[in-house]
Amino acid sequence: MNERIGIGKAHGKIILSGEHSVVYFEPAIALPFKELTLTVEITPSEQMTIESAYHRGLLSDAPQELANLQLVIKETLANLQQNQETFHLKIDSLIPFERGMGSSAAVANAIVLAIFDYFNKEVDEQTLFNLVQSAEMIAHGNASGLDGKITISKQPIYFIKNQTPTLLDINLNGYLVVADTGEKGKTAEAVSSLKRRKEESPFEIDQLIKRLGMITKQIKIVLKEGTIRELGHLLNESQQHLEQLGVSNDSLDHLIEIANNHGALGAKLTGGGKGGCMFAVADTQDKVAHLEKALLDAGATQTWVLQL
Ligand code: PMV
């Protein structure tokens, strides 16, 4: 007899431009990181159990870090009117946790897809997004929805909050060298500290947010008809503004400086900041190798390469 099974898949992401300003309705550009796969598998069980890097055992005993998953499971079962159902949920993920690479949204997407699959039901795009957003609001505080969309998109997206994203074609040849500072990103903290600063100094902060939005619009054009050097300049400018907004930190600044001193055409943080990951832009494979070595020598705990 075939065992009943539900499968859901999602992947990691890199925000190229527009983190934080996207919360205030400026555009952002994000790329799927398809090599960083995440799969959820659901099989029958008499109790609700979970197997993940964070926890193995009863779902009700899961640590606070998994509150978002508990919520998305509960809401998805409610949506399917299957509140009493129990199962075993296994998460296999190559996405590093809390590093600004989309782990929380990817896991929420894959869970909803796996539960619907388990009940042989189709989920429409809007229902999927709403369920994922309810979990993201716990993980992030005030989530723009960008991560929810990009962690299941096959193509890069141009995203404005509350609007349908546009799919982007990239006509540039180049690479992103992504490096992990080894420190957890603090997205919720960075989002709320920016909100406070915006209340204290509205004019100054609004100017910076608008400028980040302008840069993202310019990057959209550059991706279509510009050069990799132009992209690098815009990313450097973006990083300066993110620093002024207070969402970078010493370890990110350090790796960004190392990248710029080792042939990067530009470098910036990616995701919520205050830790997590940065990336550098390179135009040749030799430069990629050189940058990876320099970043690892300077303390990065891991690097990845994403071809544009
Ligand atoms: O840290 P991440 O990868 O989840 O990205 C957060 C991006 C923000 O713009 C800071 C917040 C958001 O909800 O868009």
Side-chain angles (χ1 to χ4, degrees):
M1 196 182 85
N2 285 338
E3 198 185 45
R4 189 173 167 202
I5 190 166
I7 301 275
K9 287 178 189 290
H11 48 248
K13 64 100 217 266
I14 292 292
I15 299 180
L16 189 68
S17 176
E19 50 275 272
H20 288 289
S21 41
V22 71
V23 173
Y24 300 98
F25 297 92
E26 294 296 334
I29 296 174
L31 316 177
F33 204 152
K34 291 183 226 160
E35 287 77 13
L36 297 184
T37 54
L38 185 144
T39 304
V40 168
E41 187 187 288
I42 290 177
T43 46
S45 163
E46 279 173 16
Q47 285 180 302
M48 209 52 150
T49 50
I50 183 164
E51 195 178 330
S52 78
Y54 268 112
H55 178 68
R56 202 187 169 105
L58 288 177
L59 180 66
S60 52
D61 291 342
Q64 180 55 30
E65 282 92 336
L66 299 189
N68 52 335
L69 305 197
Q70 283 170 318
L71 179 80
V72 79
I73 293 168
K74 191 164 157 246
E75 302 245 315
T76 307
L77 287 174
N79 183 285
L80 288 163
Q81 296 175 323
Q82 296 284 356
N83 308 52
Q84 301 309 318
E85 190 76 23
T86 58
F87 46 65
H88 178 67
L89 188 148
K90 182 167 168 258
I91 303 169
D92 275 313
S93 178
L94 294 179
I95 311 172
F97 298 112
E98 297 179 79
R99 294 299 198 273
M101 292 174 92
S103 168
S104 65
V107 80
N109 264 313
I111 285 176
V112 178
L113 291 168
I115 297 177
F116 271 79
D117 187 41
Y118 187 70
F119 292 104
N120 276 320
K121 290 271 188 327
E122 294 281 322
V123 59
D124 65 82
E125 225 178 282
Q126 193 58 46
T127 306
L128 174 61
F129 182 71
N130 292 345
L131 288 166
V132 169
Q133 272 303 91
S134 63
E136 283 290 274
M137 284 298 184
I138 293 196
H140 276 187
N142 183 12
S144 65
L146 174 62
D147 286 11
K149 291 286 184 195
I150 191 62
T151 54
I152 47 165
S153 175
K154 296 202 165 42
Q155 245 175 281
I157 59 172
Y158 184 79
F159 175 91
I160 299 172
K161 193 169 163 178
N162 296 348
Q163 294 186 21
T164 305
T166 321
L167 299 180
L168 290 180
D169 284 316
I170 297 183
N171 293 319
L172 282 185
N173 287 321
Y175 305 87
L176 304 186
V177 179
V178 183
D180 185 352
T181 60
E183 281 177 34
K184 283 183 179 178
K186 300 181 192 72
T187 303
E189 190 187 309
V191 169
S192 62
S193 77
L194 180 57
K195 181 164 177 267
R196 254 194 327 275
R197 284 196 62 186
K198 192 166 159 359
E199 281 156 11
E200 283 159 16
S201 322
F203 183 73
E204 182 203 344
I205 299 298
D206 281 348
Q207 290 292 98
L208 287 168
I209 288 174
K210 285 216 170 62
R211 185 64 204 131
L212 283 167
M214 294 287 294
I215 292 175
T216 303
K217 287 177 198 159
Q218 286 171 279
I219 289 180
K220 184 183 181 210
I221 299 169
V222 165
L223 291 176
K224 198 166 167 226
E225 54 202 33
T227 65
I228 192 89
R229 278 186 185 277
E230 287 169 310
L231 174 64
H233 283 304
L234 289 165
L235 295 172
N236 282 339
E237 200 190 323
S238 164
Q239 173 61 21
Q240 282 170 17
H241 298 324
L242 289 164
E243 281 171 27
Q244 287 168 302
L245 289 179
V247 296
S248 197
N249 75 351
D250 289 349
S251 53
L252 285 164
D253 294 350
H254 174 59
L255 292 185
I256 288 165
E257 192 186 339
I258 293 287
N260 284 327
N261 291 339
H262 286 82
L265 299 174
K268 68 180 273 290
L269 65 83
T270 182
K274 290 195 185 258
C277 290
M278 53 72 71
F279 67 84
V281 179
D283 53 355
T284 65
Q285 286 202 333
D286 282 352
K287 277 202 196 143
V288 167
H290 186 59
L291 277 166
E292 279 192 284
K293 180 167 183 324
L295 289 164
L296 289 167
D297 286 349
T301 52
Q302 207 175 342
T303 57
W304 300 264
V305 179
L306 188 77
Q307 191 165 3
L308 285 175

